[in-house]
Amino acid sequence: MKVVVIGGTGLIGSKLVGKLKEHGHEAVPAAPNTGVNTLTGEGLAEVLQGASVVVDVSNSPSFEEKAVMDFFRTSTTNLLKAEADTGVGHHVALSIVGTERLEENAYFRAKLAQEELIKASGIPYSIVHATQFFEFAKGIADASTEGDVVRVPDAKIQPMYSDDVAAQLGRTAVGTPVNGVVEVCGPEAFPFDEFIRRGLAADDPRTVVADPHARYFGSELEESSLLPGPDANVAETRFADWLARKQ
């Protein structure tokens, strides 16, 4: 099966390409640095020739409100049109657990707009909602730091390893389109501050504080805003094991 991975040279995309190849599929990474640009349409028709599945794990280079909305609308529109023209039979997109609950967040609004375009396209599809990745704990801390204090929401989070995200995307890509959403998450839910505290290096001097009014990339969270539903696919890798392998 030929599977084209949009954003196939990034963190998730490169892992997904590798996993698909391990299982005998023709996995083609597509990104601006491979000559494929979903914003302009450059290279799309050529790379999609003969493809059965497209997996979109691309991301906006800017999270500014207008830029991120323009990226997902334009990129997804161009991609879906090219898929329709070349006969692609399954569109898979990576999105985020909790997207529909955090519409005041510009990034989440843009992801919702992307999902609506996919649902309305007429192309069989599967949308994978993943929880936050282990790898992004430090980045979240950096975005939430004031002086030497990291203020994070008083909520829970059920993060997961990027390898497990890629594995779920691979299973979804080679399976039957669900024409709906598949959720995937890590095996453990933590208080947000515990996740960040454990994710920072042992020699990091910052103090991590749970604050009910702290915002998560612009959004105030309820306790369960970022938690998956009861039917989510639970990945195997535990945060402690991932941290131990990092050291």
Side-chain angles (χ1 to χ4, degrees):
M1 178 183 296
K2 179 179 177 180
V3 182
V4 175
V5 181
I6 306 297
T9 59
L11 172 66
I12 300 297
S14 58
K15 291 175 183 283
L16 174 58
V17 167
K19 289 180 185 296
L20 288 168
K21 287 182 175 179
E22 285 174 10
H23 287 85
H25 299 288
E26 180 188 354
V28 181
N33 59 2
T34 71
V36 179
N37 190 323
T38 53
L39 283 176
T40 64
E42 177 191 0
L44 275 178
E46 293 79 8
V47 78
L48 295 186
Q49 287 296 325
S52 301
V53 184
V54 167
V55 184
D56 185 6
V57 297
S58 63
N59 209 353
S60 174
S62 168
F63 287 6
E64 185 274 326
E65 183 173 359
K66 182 178 185 301
V68 71
M69 182 64 80
D70 287 348
F71 174 86
F72 282 114
R73 279 185 170 159
T74 302
S75 172
T76 304
T77 297
N78 287 340
L79 184 54
L80 291 168
K81 181 181 183 304
E83 289 175 25
D85 290 345
T86 54
V88 171
H90 188 186
H91 179 98
V92 180
L94 177 61
S95 194
I96 310 162
V97 165
T99 303
E100 71 285 355
R101 298 191 287 268
L102 297 171
E103 291 190 56
E104 74 275 20
N105 180 300
Y107 185 84
F108 281 50
R109 282 199 305 275
K111 293 298 288 181
L112 274 177
Q114 177 190 33
E115 293 183 25
E116 291 305 316
L117 287 168
I118 293 166
K119 292 173 184 177
S121 70
I123 296 170
Y125 71 91
S126 303
I127 297 170
V128 176
H129 277 188
T131 53
Q132 185 57 271
F133 308 158
F134 294 160
E135 288 89 343
F136 291 164
K138 185 179 184 302
I140 294 169
D142 292 346
S144 307
T145 297
E146 301 170 3
D148 291 329
V149 178
V150 183
R151 296 190 181 278
V152 295
D154 183 16
K156 288 189 175 178
I157 191 166
Q158 196 162 337
M160 65 183 300
Y161 182 25
S162 60
D163 259 32
D164 293 335
V165 178
Q168 178 64 60
L169 284 164
R171 288 191 295 271
T172 302
V174 301
T176 302
V178 300
N179 293 315
V181 172
V182 176
E183 284 194 326
V184 62
C185 61
E188 304 160 288
F190 303 102
F192 208 117
D193 58 314
E194 180 183 342
F195 169 55
I196 299 301
R197 194 176 293 113
R198 291 174 64 184
L200 292 176
D203 59 353
D204 195 308
R206 289 177 287 181
T207 300
V208 181
V209 175
D211 180 345
H213 300 298
R215 291 182 172 265
Y216 176 66
F217 297 110
S219 296
E220 277 200 16
L221 302 180
E222 303 291 335
E223 183 182 46
S224 61
S225 294
L226 298 178
L227 295 182
D231 297 327
N233 295 318
V234 180
E236 293 184 358
T237 309
R238 300 172 72 88
F239 191 38
D241 295 335
W242 179 80
L243 288 170
R245 287 204 297 268
K246 270 187 63 184
Q247 294 171 354

